[in-house]
Amino acid sequence: IAGITQAPTSQILAAGRRMTLRCTQDMRHNAMYWYRQDLGLGLRLIHYSNTAGTTGKGEVPDGYSVSRANTDDFPLTLASAVPSQTSVYFCASSDRTSGSNEQFFGPGTRLTVL
Amino acid sequence: GQNIDQPTEMTATEGAIVQINCTYQTSGFNGLFWYQQHAGEAPTFLSYNVLDGLEEKGRFSSFLSRSKGYSYLLLKELQMKDSASYLCAVRDSNYQLIWGAGTKLIIKP
């Protein structure tokens, strides 16, 4: 693994189903983030984690949950998917001890909820 | 509320110079970022400004005026591969990034 990976690449899901999007990084970054990107809108933060064992809510957390059991993994779960959750989901990580703390992004998961 | 404004779309000619503006109103300021995003791909980091002035990095430069809530990204010697969306983001008082909707840059030969 080099950098940050996400799985699956894309998924079509029936409304009401449960879905977990996976995210793994090998850069030993302390912070991780989940965003959704919709046409015409900026990236919107769903949940974040500043360090393993802690999580926080972003701008649009409803319908989503996360966990951060270790440094490398940060899964995002949709408990009961709805069509409005159709979007491209990006996971990102950063080193909060660095000067700029820039975020590095995974390749994204394209999710369609029908 | 918090707001990041940037033009939706710009067109420029290969070999020319283009300036993409970004204005912001946020609760606190802890730095401004520019990212590049090619269609269907992830955003990639271009630049970071936390103090007023110009930061130059090869063909790309980024400027910040904190008093005016204003930044621009300057791209010189445009190449066809520069066709992409350019995202402006501000780190607010909660140390989270607030993102603009992005500027789609179209380069014509």
Side-chain angles (χ1 to χ4, degrees):
Chain A
I1 298 176
I4 184 165
T5 59
Q6 294 183 234
T9 301
S10 65
Q11 183 75 42
I12 298 174
L13 190 66
R17 296 298 295 267
R18 181 184 179 89
M19 176 74 190
T20 295
L21 308 185
R22 299 184 298 279
C23 175
T24 299
Q25 54 104 357
D26 66 353
M27 297 176 283
R28 308 304 295 172
H29 285 170
N30 41 28
M32 298 187 74
Y33 314 84
W34 274 105
Y35 292 94
R36 60 178 291 173
Q37 187 174 42
D38 302 291
L39 201 62
L41 299 177
L43 288 161
R44 290 184 292 169
L45 183 65
I46 304 170
H47 285 286
Y48 65 94
S49 169
N50 287 332
T51 188
T54 69
T55 62
K57 293 181 180 180
E59 180 187 354
V60 289
D62 294 343
Y64 306 95
S65 63
V66 291
S67 62
R68 185 88 184 278
N70 58 59
T71 298
D72 299 344
D73 302 300
F74 191 44
L76 176 74
T77 297
L78 289 68
S80 178
V82 295
S84 62
Q85 292 178 312
T86 293
S87 187
V88 180
Y89 290 85
F90 286 104
C91 180
S93 70
S94 70
D95 177 2
R96 285 173 61 87
T97 64
S98 74
S100 60
N101 186 28
E102 72 264 28
Q103 296 182 11
F104 296 82
F105 285 80
T109 293
R110 185 174 296 274
L111 181 67
T112 302
V113 182
L114 301 176
Chain B
Q2 307 203 93
N3 198 49
I4 310 285
D5 285 320
Q6 45 181 137
T8 301
E9 186 174 297
M10 299 181 70
T11 302
T13 304
E14 189 176 16
I17 299 172
V18 70
Q19 178 175 311
I20 302 174
N21 296 325
C22 171
T23 57
Y24 62 89
Q25 290 178 307
T26 56
S27 57
F29 178 86
N30 286 295
L32 185 142
F33 296 80
W34 285 96
Y35 279 76
Q36 180 189 60
Q37 185 177 26
H38 285 101
E41 298 184 6
T44 55
F45 171 74
L46 285 179
S47 68
Y48 169 69
N49 295 71
V50 66
L51 300 176
D52 290 350
L54 189 68
E55 294 281 342
E56 296 187 80
K57 195 183 290 186
R59 292 189 299 115
F60 293 7
S61 303
S62 56
F63 172 83
L64 174 67
S65 169
R66 288 172 295 170
S67 62
K68 295 182 179 178
Y70 168 70
S71 172
Y72 67 72
L73 181 69
L74 191 72
L75 292 74
K76 303 176 186 176
E77 303 169 13
L78 286 170
Q79 302 174 9
M80 297 303 293
K81 68 178 182 179
D82 297 330
S83 292
S85 288
Y86 292 85
L87 313 181
C88 175
V90 172
R91 183 185 292 146
D92 69 6
S93 57
N94 292 320
Y95 226 69
Q96 299 300 343
L97 291 185
I98 309 300
W99 296 81
T103 299
K104 183 178 181 179
L105 178 63
I106 299 168
I107 309 296
K108 295 185 174 179

